[in-house]
Amino acid sequence: MDENGAQGSMSAESMSAEPLVCVVCGATPPESGRYAALTSWSRGTADGRTTWTCERCSRENIRSIEAKLDTAWW
Ligand SMILES: [Zn+2]
């Protein structure tokens, strides 16, 4: 008598379900490159929400930030 009616409901919920969208250019990483993007994209917060900047835009951002710093320095 083995009445095991409870089926193991697999919860295939991913740990981070937050959408990965570049705030600058709106790019989204491919499914296969999602994990790579999580590690290579720049993460920030704006208005209490998590924002992501793709590798390319963050690189350009750094340049513009440096340029801004240069002018704001004086
Ligand atoms: Zn971008």
Side-chain angles (χ1 to χ4, degrees):
M1 274 204 192
D2 197 7
E3 238 176 282
N4 210 345
Q7 280 188 333
S9 54
M10 303 252 282
S11 55
E13 236 177 314
S14 54
M15 324 187 299
S16 54
E18 58 186 291
L20 212 55
V21 182
C22 174
V23 290
V24 182
C25 69
T28 53
E31 284 283 311
S32 55
R34 200 170 183 275
Y35 183 76
L38 279 171
T39 54
S40 60
W41 285 30
S42 296
R43 192 178 156 179
T45 45
D47 300 324
R49 294 178 66 183
T50 306
T51 59
W52 291 91
T53 310
C54 75
E55 210 177 345
R56 213 176 102 189
C57 287
S58 57
R59 214 175 286 167
E60 283 173 20
N61 262 355
I62 287 167
R63 291 184 71 177
S64 62
I65 286 167
E66 278 176 353
K68 273 179 196 166
L69 269 178
D70 210 37
T71 50
W73 192 258
W74 305 101

